[in-house]
Amino acid sequence: MSDGGLTSGVDDAEAGGGPEPLDGTGRVRTDAAARGLEVEIVARPAADSLEAAATSLGLQPSDIVKSLVVKRHDGSFLFALVPGDRQISWARLRAVVGVNKLSMPSAEVALEATGYERGTITPLGSSTAWPVVADSRIVGRRVALGAGAHGFSAFVEADALIAGYDATVGDISD
């Protein structure tokens, strides 16, 4: 599948003449390599809807995976990976995680917990390696998720991502 000219074709390290900085997409690439994951980072145009973003990447909305930061009552966090066309089912997620209380933190708290701004969040390269819970609907698919920087998406095989994080898989969305 052609990427429509969205990738730069130049390795970031080559462009800068030195090692790739460990921020944004560099953190994603470094963590993916450490976990043995093949990840393709693709530049993408801004979009005003999930459908527009999916179309620009040649995907179905369900192939874009939201990496949601979820706060536990004890102050720790987890990542919930949910297909773009679905929402977290709080009751199902609580049952899978085995807790009574979960919440969505503010954008500032999510940034502090992961090192990523909303719209760029991914478990790959997070400043803390929080546990990952993946919706069962992403199993067996190649998906796009946040790439650590605005204007980029990371393509990865969901099964490899799940294995690389020893993620819990369950029915966590509506």
Side-chain angles (χ1 to χ4, degrees):
M1 171 176 84
S2 168
D3 64 20
L6 295 176
T7 56
S8 68
V10 177
D11 182 88
D12 292 330
E14 291 174 17
E20 187 172 342
L22 293 181
D23 62 339
T25 59
R27 287 172 39 205
V28 169
R29 286 187 177 107
T30 299
D31 189 27
R35 295 174 185 278
L37 299 174
E38 291 184 28
V39 64
E40 177 186 8
I41 297 180
V42 176
R44 60 171 168 70
D48 60 1
S49 69
L50 172 67
E51 292 75 16
T55 299
S56 74
L57 292 169
L59 302 172
Q60 296 297 316
S62 61
D63 294 325
I64 294 178
V65 171
K66 297 181 280 193
S67 299
L68 303 171
V69 180
V70 176
K71 186 174 182 180
R72 298 175 193 235
H73 73 283
D74 67 1
S76 66
F77 299 88
L78 62 89
F79 289 102
L81 305 182
V82 178
D85 61 346
R86 299 183 64 87
Q87 302 296 320
I88 287 178
S89 166
W90 290 103
R92 291 178 185 169
L93 181 58
R94 285 191 306 268
V96 167
V97 176
V99 298
N100 292 325
K101 185 174 181 184
L102 296 169
S103 63
M104 191 76 70
S106 69
E108 294 78 24
V109 172
L111 172 61
E112 187 176 310
T114 66
Y116 293 130
E117 294 179 4
R118 283 208 177 139
T120 72
I121 293 174
T122 175
L124 290 163
S126 173
S127 56
T128 302
W130 301 110
V132 176
V133 180
D135 189 81
S136 57
R137 288 161 189 82
I138 73 170
V139 172
R141 300 167 71 180
R142 180 170 166 83
V143 298
L145 61 157
H150 292 287
F152 293 91
S153 291
F155 284 79
V156 65
E157 293 296 330
D159 293 356
L161 181 67
I162 289 165
Y165 278 90
D166 194 23
T168 300
V169 176
D171 180 7
I172 63 166
S173 71
D174 288 325

